[in-house]
Amino acid sequence: MTSHKTGVEGDSRIPVESSIEFNPGSMDRPWTEERLREFVRARLGDRKLVVVSNREPYMHVEKDGETACIQPASGVTVALDPIMKACGGTWVAHGSGSADRASSDNRGRLKVPPDNPRYTLRRVWLSKEEEDGYYYGFSNRALWPLCHVAYTRPEFRREHWEAYANVNGLFAEAVLEEIGDDPAFVFIQDYHFTLLPRLLRENAPNALIAQFWHIPWPNPEAFRICPWKKEVLGGLLGNHLLAFHIQYHCMNFLDTADRELEARLDRERFAITRWEQSTRLLPVPISIDFDGFSSRAASTAIEAEVRHLRTRFHLEGKRVAIGVDRLDYTKGIPERLHAVDRFLSRYPQYKEMFVFIQIGVPSRVHIAEYRRLGEEVEALVEEINWRHKTGPWVPIVLLHEHVNQDVLPAYYRIADVCMVTSLHDGMNLVAKEYVASRFDNRGALLLSPFTGASRELQEAFQVNPYAVDEMADTLARIFSLPFEEEEGRMRKLRERVLDANVFRWAAKIIDEAVRTL
Ligand code: ADQ
């Protein structure tokens, strides 16, 4: 084992560009759906493409006696759906919708999107107990708070761990059934499947296995409290390639493996070798379908929706801020509300001239911390609105709606500022979606430096979400920004996201995975 001190934020031993520059000579061309499709065909050849995630990209639910198909609000599925549409293949995920069984065949399979089928969705069925232990238990009561270090204490229970291990086994069975002995590229998503890569490595010799870790990886000090840390690390080292958003998370993973396992570390190549098997680590920031978002934002349908929203929320002549999140304690929503409160107290000239719209879709409500957060947010909105309201005007509008991706750009377009105030976040796609929606080069992004996105989006107004007064002052600064500065910053932000879009992210991962062979 080599010894090494903990990676620090901003560590620059591997240049950030190395995570996105590849295929020299071709970077002048933007990555599109079409280009990715050709690239995947060339790189993967006859390998089957299989994506695995907990959340399914399309969910069937029973609504008013009818079956509706919805796209769940999750960064992971929003990012991967355009890739699967481009490349085809099979997506294996937990079938969690109330009408999922009725809309799949007897092996849990169906073609999606339902109105224009492009790939196969293979649903895995879990009992309530399995879902409780694996998803609400070990994944979201243990690993999620452990990795985010947002001062919510992780909870480690043996029965959760056992259910988690069991469900990883069920997913392994489903994947093995899909690929048989064929050559395949299995692309696993996230912290729900730390044991799956090892199970596949042992049982599918023709599979090339890669995993993307969508949340932060903490430093070894934080991680060491996990009672099953060796199993988790050993499972993840079943991957040929393990990718994170940023280099800091890779460094933390290397340091954690160094601390906890007998393994050979190659810090030059960013690789870990154990039992004669190597896992390469890679920083590659996830992104969005920039063009898709941008052109949807400019459509006449969105134009009409923008007008509708301005009337609905009485926005004429007012400055507008927006927040769009799953209701999660890592997203810094109470901090954001406190900042709005402080802003109105310090800059009373904005009373009646300002509206903050928070779209907070309920998430993981079976977990007490999430329920408490929902109550805290409700209470804060009520308290702040009461403090500042005059006549019919209240400063904060709280919507518990799931906004369809087709309509979301309208919300981004009505906002002079988008507030992304995460206490810790792997990337944060909302920041990139806001930028992509502002084809008019207007608007400003207030961004927490504790998001992965802050590394790329340097023209955003970066403010520590724990520093409430600073956030309030930044809002005031944004509202008095000269037009040229607002436009210049947004133009630059758009260039950055346009260039590093989600198709490029996928191409980079596939390219690097193939190179590990
Ligand atoms: P999340 O924490 O779920 O995912 P985030 O990056 O914040 O991800 O994206 C959330 C997605 O859900 C966005 O596409 C957003 O538009 C959508 N969404 C949020 N609220 C919504 C609402 N009310 N209605 C409809 N859609 C809504 C994890 C990590 C992140 C990482 C992503 C992708 O925690 O750090 O960026 O994966 O890797």
Side-chain angles (χ1 to χ4, degrees), residues 95-296:
S96 56
S98 54
D100 273 356
R101 277 182 197 265
S103 47
S104 329
D105 71 13
N106 56 6
R107 286 174 63 205
R109 302 170 109 235
L110 73 156
K111 295 275 185 203
V112 289
D115 50 351
N116 178 20
R118 307 277 283 277
Y119 63 93
T120 301
L121 172 59
R122 161 78 192 261
R123 286 168 169 157
V124 175
W125 311 119
L126 301 180
S127 68
K128 203 171 144 299
E129 291 69 32
E130 285 166 339
E131 186 181 0
D132 263 350
Y134 140 82
Y135 180 74
Y136 292 105
F138 194 70
S139 294
N140 286 313
R141 280 195 175 104
L143 285 177
W144 178 269
L146 179 71
C147 290
H148 279 91
V149 198
Y151 305 98
T152 295
R153 190 182 168 138
E155 194 185 317
F156 301 106
R157 286 210 223 153
R158 175 164 294 279
E159 64 272 26
H160 290 167
W161 168 251
E162 284 167 357
Y164 179 88
N166 176 43
V167 170
N168 270 246
L170 294 177
F171 272 80
E173 278 168 25
V175 173
L176 292 171
E177 214 177 289
E178 292 298 323
I179 63 178
D181 288 332
D182 296 339
F185 174 62
V186 183
F187 187 22
I188 304 167
Q189 308 304 314
D190 238 352
Y191 58 99
H192 312 88
F193 302 113
T194 59
L195 304 179
L196 178 60
R198 163 83 32 226
L199 294 170
L200 295 178
R201 188 92 172 233
E202 280 164 11
N203 294 293
N206 293 323
L208 173 61
I209 308 157
Q211 183 159 14
F212 192 80
W213 192 263
H214 290 260
I215 64 175
W217 188 277
N219 66 42
E221 280 307 312
F223 189 76
R224 69 200 278 242
I225 63 169
C226 176
W228 299 283
K229 56 192 172 188
K230 291 199 190 325
E231 289 85 342
V232 164
L233 289 166
L236 287 170
L237 292 181
N239 283 297
H240 294 92
L241 179 83
L242 177 58
F244 298 88
H245 293 292
I246 59 173
Q247 189 187 325
Y248 178 55
H249 302 155
C250 290
M251 299 300 297
N252 279 346
F253 186 85
L254 263 181
D255 290 331
T256 308
D258 194 11
R259 169 87 69 96
E260 303 294 348
L261 299 176
E262 286 293 330
R264 208 166 61 242
L265 269 65
D266 181 339
R267 291 183 185 274
E268 289 297 314
R269 282 185 53 245
F270 247 21
I272 301 173
T273 305
R274 191 174 177 241
W275 304 336
E276 300 308 311
Q277 289 177 344
S278 280
T279 302
R280 172 138 153 61
L281 307 181
L282 179 77
V284 50
I286 203 168
S287 193
I288 58 166
D289 172 8
F290 179 90
D291 281 335
F293 239 96
S294 189
S295 53
R296 226 177 311 136

Side-chain angles (χ1 to χ4, degrees), residues 19-27 31 39 504 507-508 511-512:
S19 69
I20 39 183
E21 293 293 343
F22 68 108
N23 239 358
S26 62
M27 294 318 293
W31 280 94
F39 180 83
R504 180 167 159 167
K508 173 72 176 166
D511 188 51
E512 291 285 344

Side-chain angles (χ1 to χ4, degrees), residues 35-64:
R35 186 175 170 200
L36 178 68
R37 189 179 307 129
E38 286 165 15
F39 180 83
V40 166
R41 264 194 216 122
R43 277 290 193 279
L44 294 186
D46 59 357
R47 278 181 189 276
K48 284 185 180 166
L49 173 62
V50 177
V51 160
V52 185
S53 71
N54 168 68
R55 177 88 60 231
E56 52 185 342
Y58 296 90
M59 179 192 276
H60 286 87
V61 289
E62 210 55 54
K63 215 174 163 188
D64 309 325

Side-chain angles (χ1 to χ4, degrees), residues 71-79 144 148 190-191 212-216 245 286-288 293 324-328 330-331 359-362 364 399-405 408 412 422 424-431 433 452 505:
Q71 285 188 271
S74 136
V76 178
T77 52
V78 168
W144 178 269
H148 279 91
D190 238 352
Y191 58 99
F212 192 80
W213 192 263
H214 290 260
I215 64 175
H245 293 292
I286 203 168
S287 193
I288 58 166
F293 239 96
V324 178
D325 314 79
R326 289 184 301 100
L327 276 177
D328 193 295
T330 61
K331 302 291 181 186
I359 312 178
V361 65
R364 305 174 192 167
L399 303 171
H400 287 307
E401 289 169 21
H402 175 276
V403 180
N404 199 302
Q405 287 282 313
L408 201 52
Y412 292 134
S422 313
H424 204 179
D425 216 331
M427 173 54 58
N428 195 287
L429 293 179
V430 169
E433 291 170 357
W505 171 81

